Amino acid sequence: MAVTIFLMVTGGDILFAGMAAISLIGMMELYRTLDSHKTLLAAVSYVAAVAYYALLRFGQEEYFLPFFIAYLVLLMAVYVLTFPKFEAAQVMNAFFGLFYVAIMISYIYQTRMVESGAYLVWLIFICSWGCDTMAYCTGMLIGKHKMAPILSPKKSIEGAVGGVVGAMLIGVIYTLIFQNHITIFQNPVVSVALLSGVGALISMIGDLAASAIKRNHKIKDYGKLIPGHGGILDRFDSVIFTAPVVYYLVQL
């Protein structure tokens, strides 16, 4: 939390560097899980992540599409020139890793840079961590009906509802405190309530998606970087999904 607060409050290049570093660590955790972290495909993907962040930093978003095409072509070049060293699934995993981790996480920085971004960026964490906390509390108190019994046996439908409502409530309280600084909305309280509800729903998909990947590969955590939590992907699993959702809902 201390690191998160420092990065979000500081913003600018410090936040940018922090998100880039977190993205690279997260990609490394994912590729290690997929048993491809020490391959040429992974190396190409790390370089691509740095290149993507460079384009983002210098405002060259119009080059994103040709960049992604070039990245895919480069991965396929490695695949065919070293054949049969890699399987097609490894190429797909490498491509997926850049999008799933680096690009999705970059929306934290992008949200921080919009109008009222210093205050709006916290909605990403309210939607994800707020929902997660409230869902846990509600589920422990009244949870009876399993939401995903095979994938995550401890999660309940009651907990999910409590998480969404709780995130909306936290978002409303947050907005009432800082509404004079959130000038991008005509009606900040209603807008943030709706945004928090949608973001909370999406955050659950992110949480379960990360769990599904871990279960497929029979691991408990992606890493040991954060004591008590695991790796970057264990802590940012839901944030990865809420960051772009919050960004685009703000733009909408």
Side-chain angles (χ1 to χ4, degrees), residues 93-154:
N93 288 339
F95 195 73
F96 168 72
L98 178 70
F99 275 82
Y100 178 59
V101 183
I103 293 174
M104 300 283 269
I105 285 179
S106 75
Y107 280 96
I108 298 176
Y109 168 76
Q110 294 185 65
T111 302
R112 177 64 173 78
M113 299 305 292
V114 303
E115 179 186 343
S116 305
Y119 296 89
L120 292 173
V121 72
W122 292 104
L123 297 179
I124 295 172
F125 302 99
I126 288 174
C127 290
S128 53
W129 296 348
C131 175
D132 190 37
T133 302
M134 297 303 291
Y136 174 80
C137 294
T138 307
M140 289 293 291
L141 288 172
I142 61 173
K144 292 182 179 179
H145 301 88
K146 303 297 182 182
M147 182 172 68
I150 297 176
L151 178 57
S152 188
K154 294 183 179 180

Side-chain angles (χ1 to χ4, degrees), residues 60-205:
Q60 302 299 314
E61 289 86 353
E62 67 269 25
Y63 294 109
F64 278 170
L65 185 55
F67 162 73
F68 295 140
I69 294 172
Y71 168 53
L72 178 58
V73 169
L74 186 55
L75 285 179
M76 295 305 292
V78 172
Y79 175 50
V80 299
L81 293 176
T82 61
F83 191 86
K85 183 176 181 179
F86 300 109
E87 296 182 359
Q90 290 177 287
V91 180
M92 298 172 194
N93 288 339
F95 195 73
F96 168 72
L98 178 70
F99 275 82
Y100 178 59
V101 183
I103 293 174
M104 300 283 269
I105 285 179
S106 75
Y107 280 96
I108 298 176
Y109 168 76
Q110 294 185 65
T111 302
R112 177 64 173 78
M113 299 305 292
V114 303
E115 179 186 343
S116 305
Y119 296 89
L120 292 173
V121 72
W122 292 104
L123 297 179
I124 295 172
F125 302 99
I126 288 174
C127 290
S128 53
W129 296 348
C131 175
D132 190 37
T133 302
M134 297 303 291
Y136 174 80
C137 294
T138 307
M140 289 293 291
L141 288 172
I142 61 173
K144 292 182 179 179
H145 301 88
K146 303 297 182 182
M147 182 172 68
I150 297 176
L151 178 57
S152 188
K154 294 183 179 180
K155 286 183 170 59
S156 65
I157 295 175
E158 292 84 356
V161 174
V164 173
V165 174
M168 294 177 70
L169 180 60
I170 295 171
V172 167
I173 294 172
Y174 175 80
T175 306
L176 289 173
I177 297 172
F178 297 108
Q179 61 181 329
N180 291 335
H181 300 282
I182 303 177
T183 58
I184 198 170
F185 301 129
Q186 290 184 346
N187 191 327
V189 174
V190 174
S191 296
V192 170
L194 293 173
L195 186 153
S196 298
V198 174
L201 282 170
I202 299 299
S203 76
M204 294 181 196
I205 298 175

Side-chain angles (χ1 to χ4, degrees), residues 27-49:
M27 288 175 67
M28 188 179 301
E29 291 176 351
L30 179 64
Y31 290 149
R32 184 171 58 236
T33 299
L34 301 175
D35 197 27
S36 60
H37 61 298
K38 294 182 179 180
T39 66
L40 183 56
L41 292 173
V44 169
S45 298
Y46 298 141
V47 174

Side-chain angles (χ1 to χ4, degrees), residues 30 33-34 96 100 148 150-153 155 204-222 233-234 237 241:
L30 179 64
T33 299
L34 301 175
F96 168 72
Y100 178 59
I150 297 176
L151 178 57
S152 188
K155 286 183 170 59
M204 294 181 196
I205 298 175
D207 184 21
L208 291 171
S211 297
I213 294 173
K214 287 190 287 186
R215 283 190 177 274
N216 279 158
H217 293 85
K218 297 178 175 57
I219 62 170
K220 183 179 183 296
D221 296 316
Y222 283 104
L233 294 183
D234 294 296
D237 51 3
F241 276 55

